[in-house]
């Protein structure tokens, strides 16, 4: 039997503050198993419970000079384990929420990336069909749709009649609708796809 196991918690903590390794060993042997059971009941995981108690004892040794215990030492240790378990639970919840949000972000990112690729492909297709229009019709169409000019302004700039401009725009829209299909054509007209 060693001399330390006969000492009270108060005496052991006094020796601990002075750096007495024997006192620390006695505290560890006296409380490790009880604190482990206390942690395990809450965590339901042997490894995590062991880690929590070991971390607490490491803290106690490293901060032995600063520890100010105003209650029974055992109460201090139980409260410290409870707080560590609670903190571990919060970290675990945050980690789960973070991982869930990361999964959502990745899923949305894949969706957004897929949509961007499809939009780019459709834009290329629309641009190709616009470029295939006869030169004068293409010019009138681009002035109308891309530059937002009125039929009157286009007619004045090109030195032609409004009727000719209107006819050219109608013909170009009819050609694009037949080449692109109604869905792509509608998306283009709504401004959801830009060439």
């Amino acid at each position: 039997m060693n001399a330390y196991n006969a000492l009270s918690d108060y005496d052991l903590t006094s020796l601990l503050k002075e750096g007495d390794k024997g006192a620390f060993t006695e505290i560890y042997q006296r409380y490790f198993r009880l604190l482990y059971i206390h942690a395990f009941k809450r965590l339901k995981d042997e490894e995590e419970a062991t880690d929590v108690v070991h971390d607490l004892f490491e803290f106690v040794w490293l901060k032995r000079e600063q520890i100010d215990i105003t209650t029974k030492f055992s109460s201090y240790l139980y409260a410290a384990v409870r707080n560590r378990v609670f903190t571990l639970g919060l970290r675990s919840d945050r980690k789960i929420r973070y991982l869930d949000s990361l999964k959502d972000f990745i899923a949305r990112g894949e969706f957004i990336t897929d949509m961007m690729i499809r939009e780019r492909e459709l834009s290329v297709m629309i641009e190709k069909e616009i470029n295939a229009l006869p030169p004068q019709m293409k010019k009138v169409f681009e002035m109308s749709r891309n530059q937002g000019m009125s039929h009157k302004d286009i007619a004045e700039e090109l030195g032609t009649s409004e009727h000719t401009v209107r006819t050219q725009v109608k013909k170009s829209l009819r050609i694009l609708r037949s080449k692109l299909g109604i869905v792509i054509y509608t998306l283009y007209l709504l401004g959801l796809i830009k060439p």
Side-chain angles (χ1 to χ4, degrees):
M1 178 168 155
N2 69 41
Y4 291 104
N5 64 7
L7 295 175
S8 69
D9 286 353
Y10 179 80
D11 293 334
L12 287 172
T13 54
S14 295
L15 291 170
L16 173 68
K17 285 186 174 197
E18 295 170 8
D20 189 316
K21 290 182 181 178
F24 175 76
T25 303
E26 178 59 31
I27 292 169
Y28 181 88
Q29 289 173 349
R30 192 176 286 184
Y31 288 106
F32 178 83
R33 187 78 186 139
L34 295 170
L35 294 173
Y36 167 81
I37 292 168
H38 184 59
F40 180 76
K41 282 181 181 177
R42 287 173 161 61
L43 295 170
K44 308 287 189 244
D45 183 293
E46 292 177 8
E47 207 170 289
E48 280 188 345
T50 302
D51 287 347
V52 164
V53 178
H54 279 156
D55 287 347
L56 172 60
F57 278 111
E58 180 182 4
F59 174 82
V60 166
W61 177 253
L62 294 174
K63 301 292 184 181
R64 63 189 175 276
E65 294 170 0
Q66 291 96 15
I67 291 176
D68 185 29
I69 301 167
T70 56
T71 62
K72 288 175 39 178
F73 192 60
S74 60
S75 299
Y76 167 81
L77 292 173
Y78 278 105
V81 166
R82 186 183 62 244
N83 291 340
R84 287 169 185 273
V85 166
F86 179 72
T87 302
L88 187 67
L90 286 178
R91 274 194 224 127
S92 180
D93 289 345
R94 281 190 198 124
K95 189 163 68 174
I96 289 167
R97 283 196 306 270
Y98 173 75
L99 290 174
D100 286 345
S101 70
L102 188 60
K103 284 181 204 170
D104 290 345
F105 175 77
I106 290 169
R108 277 193 316 253
E110 286 175 5
F111 175 74
I112 290 168
T113 302
D114 185 52
M115 289 298 291
M116 288 172 63
I117 289 169
R118 288 175 194 266
E119 184 178 337
R120 224 174 282 129
E121 289 171 351
L122 291 174
S123 295
V124 167
M125 186 187 305
I126 292 168
E127 187 67 36
K128 179 182 167 197
E129 293 304 327
I130 290 172
N131 287 332
L133 292 171
Q136 187 66 18
M137 189 182 289
K138 176 185 171 195
K139 187 172 190 173
V140 168
F141 180 81
E142 287 180 333
M143 291 171 84
S144 171
R145 294 296 183 225
N146 297 347
Q147 296 172 21
M149 294 175 70
S150 69
H151 292 170
K152 182 180 179 182
D153 292 340
I154 296 169
E156 286 176 9
E157 190 168 316
L158 297 178
T160 187
S161 70
E162 272 186 71
H163 177 72
T164 303
V165 170
R166 193 174 300 113
T167 303
Q168 295 263 342
V169 170
K170 282 182 185 177
K171 283 183 181 178
S172 60
L173 289 173
R174 196 175 312 124
I175 291 169
L176 290 174
R177 186 172 48 234
S178 68
K179 300 269 185 171
L180 298 173
I182 192 68
V183 174
I184 297 171
Y185 174 75
T186 304
L187 291 173
Y188 170 72
L189 287 182
L190 292 173
L192 299 175
I193 300 173
K194 302 210 182 306

